[in-house]
């Protein structure tokens, strides 16, 4: 049995090339199936564009930057900001102006991103740059005289800040004169003047002075009559209490908004310039 199977296999194997040779001899040509070159594929997703092909995404907004140019001893990079967060259903924001006054700001007009820290790379040099305040739309780099803008290889945002509202209730007293109310903001008890009506003076301290314009200070509990910022414009509030003696402890509320720093280096897409 085994020999018969083996012989059959040998005969079948030999018959394949012989049959092919006979078919070709009779004039039949072998037809090969058409082949198609394999298509190149990529797993890289296309880059999303929200506002402009020259945009750089930073958190909830995009930066659209122009090419750097030289102005005196500074390199200047002008830019625009466009928010990505929906604002259609957002409430109007109240900005504190001092002396009890407020300004209504529509959500789409509110600066919520501060591109505060930059650097540029030119050859072997790394030069720091800054934006002066959240409303400014230019980063400036002090490069000195004789700098060639053509040597700039890269412009990078080194950090940015996001605007965040807060409300903090704190306790102050003699021997406990200061308290942190938000990142980078501290309240300090300056003076207590006890008379027919007590005056409590509170000073606000911030790493960024412009933050202090967005604050409001008030007393918590019964007896507080008013809270007014100093007429001189300093970040000091005078709180009036109806009692000839100050409450102990002194409970106050600080409300407003501050800038939360995000340390993230992001290369900037630059435009064609002016």
């Amino acid at each position: 049995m085994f020999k018969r199977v083996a012989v059959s296999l040998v005969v079948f194997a030999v018959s394949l090339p012989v049959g092919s040779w006979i078919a070709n001899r009779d004039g039949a040509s072998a037809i090969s199936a058409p082949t198609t070159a394999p298509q190149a594929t990529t797993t890289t997703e296309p880059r999303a564009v929200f506002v402009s092909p020259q945009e750089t995404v930073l958190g909830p907004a995009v930066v659209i930057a122009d090419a750097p140019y030289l102005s005196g001893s500074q390199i200047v990079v002008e830019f625009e900001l466009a928010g990505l967060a929906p604002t259609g259903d957002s409430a109007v924001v109240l900005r504190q102006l001092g002396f009890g006054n407020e300004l209504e700001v529509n959500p789409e007009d509110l600066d919520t991103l501060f591109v505060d820290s930059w650097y540029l790379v030119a050859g072997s040099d790394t030069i720091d740059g800054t934006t002066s305040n959240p409303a400014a739309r230019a980063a400036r780099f002090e490069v000195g005289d004789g700098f060639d803008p053509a040597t700039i290889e890269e412009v990078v945002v080194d950090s940015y800040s996001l605007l965040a509202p807060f409300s903090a209730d704190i306790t102050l007293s003699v021997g406990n004169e200061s308290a942190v109310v938000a990142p980078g903001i501290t309240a300090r008890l300056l003076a207590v003047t006890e008379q027919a009506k007590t005056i409590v003076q509170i000073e606000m301290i911030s790493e960024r002075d412009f933050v202090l314009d967005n604050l409001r200070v008030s007393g918590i509990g019964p007896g507080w009559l008013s809270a007014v910022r100093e007429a001189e414009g300093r970040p000091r509030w005078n709180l009036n209490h109806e009692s000839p003696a100050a409450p102990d402890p002194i409970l106050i509320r600080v409300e407003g908004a501050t800038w939360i720093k995000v340390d993230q280096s992001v290369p900037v897409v630059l435009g064609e310039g002016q």
Side-chain angles (χ1 to χ4, degrees):
M1 179 67 180
F2 174 77
K3 290 183 179 180
R4 290 181 182 178
V5 173
V7 170
S8 299
L9 290 176
V10 171
V11 170
F12 177 75
V14 171
S15 67
L16 289 178
V18 171
S20 177
W21 175 79
I22 295 174
N24 289 333
R25 187 182 177 192
D26 291 342
S29 59
I31 301 176
S32 59
T35 58
T36 303
Q39 298 295 319
T41 59
T42 176
T43 58
T44 303
E45 295 184 3
R47 176 177 175 266
V49 175
F50 298 99
V51 180
S52 167
Q54 297 173 343
E55 69 191 16
T56 302
V57 179
L58 294 178
V62 297
V63 175
I64 305 170
D66 291 333
Y69 67 89
L70 187 63
S71 176
S73 62
Q74 294 182 333
I75 284 291
V76 180
V77 177
E78 296 182 350
F79 62 89
E80 294 296 331
L81 293 176
L84 300 179
T87 58
D89 298 328
S90 300
V92 171
V93 177
L94 296 179
R95 175 173 290 169
Q96 307 301 324
L97 299 180
F99 309 106
N101 298 318
E102 298 174 333
L103 174 67
E104 291 188 352
V105 181
N106 293 324
E108 62 270 19
D109 298 327
L110 187 67
D111 292 320
T112 57
L113 180 72
F114 177 27
V115 193
D116 49 6
S117 179
W118 306 61
Y119 69 83
L120 64 80
V121 178
S124 59
D125 296 327
T126 299
I127 303 170
D128 294 331
T130 58
T131 305
S132 58
N133 59 70
R137 292 295 180 264
R140 299 182 181 274
F141 307 77
E142 188 65 42
V143 295
D145 297 330
F147 183 85
D148 183 3
T151 62
I152 297 175
E153 300 173 6
E154 187 178 39
V155 174
V156 178
V157 170
D158 199 27
S159 70
Y160 59 91
S161 296
L162 302 176
L163 186 65
F166 73 89
S167 178
D169 296 348
I170 60 173
T171 300
L172 299 175
S173 62
V174 177
N176 182 33
E177 289 86 2
S178 65
V180 175
V181 299
I185 302 178
T186 301
R188 185 173 66 171
L189 178 63
L190 281 186
V192 176
T193 304
E194 295 182 334
Q195 47 191 22
K197 293 180 179 179
T198 299
I199 299 176
V200 175
Q201 189 175 57
I202 305 294
E203 180 180 44
M204 302 303 300
I205 304 170
S206 174
E207 298 172 356
R208 295 167 166 170
D209 292 342
F210 53 78
V211 171
L212 301 173
D213 295 332
N214 297 325
L215 303 183
R216 179 172 60 188
V217 181
S218 58
I220 300 176
W224 293 104
L225 303 175
S226 63
V228 180
R229 186 168 176 170
E230 276 192 351
E232 294 83 355
R234 293 181 298 181
R236 296 178 179 180
W237 280 257
N238 293 320
L239 283 62
N240 295 296
H241 196 275
E242 63 181 6
S243 172
D248 186 20
I250 298 169
L251 303 180
I252 68 168
R253 175 170 295 147
V254 182
E255 301 171 285
T258 188
W259 293 94
I260 306 300
K261 187 176 182 180
V262 179
D263 289 315
Q264 182 182 13
S265 295
V266 181
V268 176
V269 179
L270 299 173
E272 298 178 357
Q274 304 174 344

